[in-house]
């Protein structure tokens, strides 16, 4: 293209981590049993929720195989933002400027996270927010976006509640969908809030609780879950 010749720096070649990621999902079968997929439950901590100016400052993730959390197979990293850390966000997640002063930039951490995820489906609570920040950063620094399908535990909770409503069992129409509130509602182990790795663990426990009950109720394949709560392209349940 003429534009490429005039401004060659404007063309951002796709990073090798994204090329490998893309190759893993050239074909994707939603009809396999849910337990046959691998999952990565993840969370990010941010400088704020404005996608145009805020940035990721930590990523935490845990791996799930055979519908079990793989002990010790975790991912965690702080990342140094390009702008000063807002003081009000430290009050939320507790991350201080000193903790991220020597942290690597996101363009270093992101390929490591993508490689960690591999061919796993990504699990998150309100996952679209985290995926949006990850993909915005990936497009900026790596020349593309992740192709991993995603499962939202908030949407899974709605699917589970709808199943219960049909059977008139334990329905709570005024329930909170806050991650910690759901963990308490379902009597799950509790982890520290607003810590990327701890929230990833909390989300993983919620995901497994919901999936095991939904599969017992007849939601056998990923497509069954997909039909129960589509929220957008490649973001399931």
């Amino acid at each position: 293209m003429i534009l490429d010749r005039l401004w060659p720096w404007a063309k951002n070649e796709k990073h090798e981590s994204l090329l490998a990621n893309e190759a893993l999902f050239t074909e994707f079968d939603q009809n396999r049993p849910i337990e046959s997929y691998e999952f990565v439950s993840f969370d990010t901590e941010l400088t704020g929720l404005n996608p145009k100016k805020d940035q990721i400052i930590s990523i935490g993730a845990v791996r799930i195989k055979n519908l079990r959390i793989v002990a010790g197979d975790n991912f965690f990293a702080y990342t140094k933002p390009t702008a000063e850390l807002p003081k009000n966000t430290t009050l939320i997640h507790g991350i201080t400027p000193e903790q991220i002063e020597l942290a690597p930039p996101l363009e270093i951490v992101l390929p490591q996270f993508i490689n960690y995820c591999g061919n796993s489906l990504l699990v998150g609570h309100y996952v679209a927010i985290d995926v949006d920040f990850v993909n915005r950063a990936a497009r900026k620094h790596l020349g593309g976006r992740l192709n991993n399908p995603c499962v939202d535990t908030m949407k899974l909770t709605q699917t589970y509640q709808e199943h219960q409503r049909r059977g008139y069992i334990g329905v709570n129409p005024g329930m909170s969908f806050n991650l910690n509130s759901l963990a308490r509602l379902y009597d799950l182990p509790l982890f520290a809030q607003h810590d990327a790795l701890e929230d990833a663990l909390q989300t993983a426990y919620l995901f497994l609780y919901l999936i095991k009950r939904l599969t017992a109720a007849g939601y056998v394949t990923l497509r069954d879950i997909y039909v129960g709560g589509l929220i957008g392209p490649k973001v399931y349940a």
Side-chain angles (χ1 to χ4, degrees):
M1 294 176 61
I2 294 176
L3 182 63
D4 294 338
R5 293 200 300 269
L6 291 175
W7 301 296
W9 59 85
K11 184 178 180 181
N12 193 0
E13 296 290 343
K14 190 171 291 187
H15 192 276
E16 60 183 10
S17 63
L18 285 181
L19 291 172
N21 177 265
E22 190 176 79
L24 291 171
F25 296 100
T26 52
E27 295 182 5
F28 183 70
D29 183 6
Q30 303 171 21
N31 297 305
R32 290 161 42 197
I34 292 171
E35 64 270 17
S36 69
Y37 298 93
E38 291 187 13
F39 300 88
V40 164
S41 175
F42 85 108
D43 183 63
T44 62
E45 293 301 325
L46 310 166
T47 60
L49 293 176
N50 186 333
K52 293 183 178 180
K53 68 174 185 177
D54 288 310
Q55 302 175 53
I56 296 170
I57 53 174
S58 71
I59 304 177
V62 299
R63 195 177 306 282
I64 298 170
K65 291 183 179 181
N66 301 314
L67 297 185
R68 292 178 180 272
I69 296 171
V70 182
D73 191 353
N74 304 332
F75 179 94
F76 179 79
Y78 288 119
T79 72
K80 186 175 181 178
T82 57
E84 185 177 346
L85 183 66
K87 293 180 180 179
N88 61 320
T89 62
T90 297
L91 297 175
I92 298 173
H93 46 58
I95 299 173
T96 65
E98 291 75 21
Q99 286 177 288
I100 58 175
E101 177 61 32
L102 300 178
L106 190 55
E107 56 264 37
I108 299 297
V109 172
L110 205 50
Q112 298 170 357
F113 174 66
I114 293 169
N115 292 334
Y116 173 82
C117 292
N119 66 347
S120 299
L121 280 67
L122 301 182
V123 177
H125 199 65
Y126 294 96
V127 70
I129 296 175
D130 298 290
V131 168
D132 183 48
F133 272 90
V134 168
N135 279 334
R136 283 175 180 270
R139 284 191 292 268
K140 177 180 179 180
H141 298 297
L142 308 180
R145 63 189 296 280
L146 277 72
N147 290 273
N148 305 63
C150 303
V151 177
D152 189 346
T153 49
M154 189 274 289
K155 290 291 182 180
L156 269 185
T157 303
Q158 291 180 329
T159 300
Y160 179 54
Q161 283 289 306
E162 174 61 20
H163 170 75
Q164 289 186 306
R165 186 189 67 78
R166 293 170 191 161
Y168 303 101
I169 302 171
V171 179
N172 182 3
M175 67 183 292
S176 167
F177 288 95
N178 172 273
L179 179 60
N180 185 262
S181 297
L182 292 174
R184 293 179 183 278
L185 175 66
Y186 298 133
D187 197 26
L188 302 176
L190 296 176
F191 298 90
Q193 299 180 67
H194 305 300
D195 174 283
L197 184 55
E198 298 270 323
D199 279 341
L201 275 167
Q202 192 74 81
T203 301
Y205 273 91
L206 176 61
F207 168 74
L208 292 173
Y209 175 93
L210 295 168
I211 282 292
K212 289 177 180 179
R213 280 152 182 79
L214 286 170
T215 53
Y219 294 77
V220 178
T221 69
L222 185 65
R223 179 173 290 278
D224 295 333
I225 300 297
Y226 162 83
V227 171
L230 177 67
I231 67 169
K234 291 199 174 181
V235 185
Y236 302 101

